[in-house]
Amino acid sequence: MTSFEDFPMIEVKKMNETEVRLFALLFNLLREPKGISFQKFRNIMPRFYKNEDIESDRKKLYRDLNQLKSLGFNIKVAQFGYQSEDYFPYYLEKESISKSLQFTKEELEYLSQVLYSQEPSAEGFSLSQKLFSNHLDLLPKFAKQPKQDSKSEEEPDSSHTEKILQAIKDKRALTIQYGFESNERIIEPYRLVRKNTTDFYLLAYDRGKKSLRRFILPRITVKKESKEEFLSNLKITKEDLNFHPLQITKHPEMEISFQINPDYEDRWRLFLEGANFEKTGNEYKVKTTNQNALFQFLILSPEALVSTSEVWKESFQTYTQNWETLYQFV
């Protein structure tokens, strides 16, 4: 029979002033998931951070937050505009939860037996490639790629690039099917454009849409090569060849001013390459019809932003708050 001595108790002692302060600090951070600014800390914890010397309080808060970090609490500061802890709060970052499926070796072996109990379909083979990508040794030795369906011989030729290039050269229209669309489209192909190093796009006039459109090359299936000449007579402009996300038309063109941290200027200028901007002194004036494209850069590099307009700053805050709300449901 066990006795009290088998389970020694932790000695209880009175918390000192520092421990009380750290505990209260952590409790308030847990209670406010959106974060707490320095000024709010002073209001809700006046016993610890309400001295006449505000800089002394600021340093004390820094030390306390760093001590909590050293204990394993992931504390961040939300920087939605210029960096100022007076307005932008400190918060506890939520730990990311892995939502990927995990299988034991026994489970994978059972799945392989089920999948290959009979000749698998194309979908079954694709699924098995994903399931066993890192465990190919668990696939049955007899597993082979499924045979081609006889219907594939009736499918149109999947090599369409030569037909498109010939149509560009001869200025002849093409009847195509694009992606998973069921309807056919008649286009007048003007030019192939390479974006980055591997992505190819076709600039073509869509007779149905009555405008110049961009088509991702691998998604085009040529259904018919026409002898019809172009009905349109377009001149390709620099704007047509510009694939920068800031140039996508989402709203009327607007000009936004930014001051950027010098340590991030090279990265910033690389991001803006191809966009409409000018630099005057230490200020960048960016013209865009898609301001949301700027958000992604500043989410990844919030320290890059020194200052911007209050209106744009509010738009950025609204954008990040909306995403934060959405992530709470994940």
Side-chain angles (χ1 to χ4, degrees), residues 10 12 14-15 50 56 67-68 82 148 157 176 180 195 199 204 220-221 232 241-242 251 301 308 327 330:
I10 298 174
V12 178
K14 185 178 180 181
M15 297 173 67
K50 200 68 171 179
S56 174
Q67 190 164 352
L68 286 176
Y82 55 88
Q148 292 288 337
D157 181 15
I176 69 166
F180 295 104
K195 181 185 176 185
D199 299 331
I220 299 174
T221 301
S232 62
L241 299 175
N242 190 345
H251 52 70
S301 304
T308 187
Y327 273 114
V330 175

Side-chain angles (χ1 to χ4, degrees), residues 240-281:
D240 296 325
L241 299 175
N242 190 345
F243 283 69
H244 200 290
L246 287 172
Q247 304 298 105
I248 297 174
T249 303
K250 295 291 186 181
H251 52 70
E253 185 177 70
M254 59 191 300
E255 184 178 271
I256 312 168
S257 297
F258 298 94
Q259 286 188 18
I260 301 298
N261 187 323
D263 294 337
Y264 290 83
E265 277 204 85
D266 290 342
R267 197 181 307 175
W268 173 250
R269 292 182 72 92
L270 183 64
F271 169 74
L272 292 179
E273 187 175 349
N276 187 0
F277 75 96
E278 62 179 23
K279 184 182 180 185
T280 304

Side-chain angles (χ1 to χ4, degrees), residues 71 164 178 294:
L71 294 173
I164 294 171
Y178 189 58
L294 291 160

Side-chain angles (χ1 to χ4, degrees), residues 17-63:
E17 183 75 1
T18 300
E19 290 169 334
V20 171
R21 187 173 70 249
L22 290 176
F23 180 81
L25 184 62
L26 179 60
F27 178 79
N28 281 301
L29 285 169
L30 289 169
R31 191 174 60 178
E32 297 288 344
K34 291 187 177 180
I36 306 173
S37 67
F38 169 65
Q39 293 291 356
K40 189 173 181 180
F41 270 126
R42 299 193 80 213
N43 292 331
I44 63 177
M45 299 177 64
R47 172 183 168 187
F48 306 111
Y49 306 113
K50 200 68 171 179
N51 298 320
E52 293 182 1
D53 187 351
I54 189 171
E55 290 303 318
S56 174
D57 283 343
R58 198 189 306 275
K59 291 177 181 178
K60 184 195 293 185
L61 179 63
Y62 284 164
R63 287 195 302 269

Side-chain angles (χ1 to χ4, degrees), residues 163-224:
K163 296 176 182 178
I164 294 171
L165 290 172
Q166 191 64 44
I168 294 173
K169 180 180 177 182
D170 298 339
K171 292 190 175 181
R172 303 288 184 181
L174 291 172
T175 301
I176 69 166
Q177 190 172 2
Y178 189 58
F180 295 104
E181 295 177 358
S182 57
N183 61 308
E184 294 182 352
R185 303 164 74 167
I186 300 176
I187 63 170
E188 300 173 4
Y190 274 86
R191 187 178 299 182
L192 282 182
V193 180
R194 184 173 70 176
K195 181 185 176 185
N196 301 324
T197 57
T198 57
D199 299 331
F200 282 86
Y201 291 79
L202 174 67
L203 283 178
Y205 178 80
D206 187 321
R207 289 184 180 178
K209 304 289 185 181
K210 296 182 180 181
S211 62
L212 191 68
R213 296 296 173 114
R214 297 168 179 173
F215 299 89
I216 302 172
L217 189 60
R219 298 182 62 187
I220 299 174
T221 301
V222 177
K223 306 295 288 186
K224 181 182 176 182

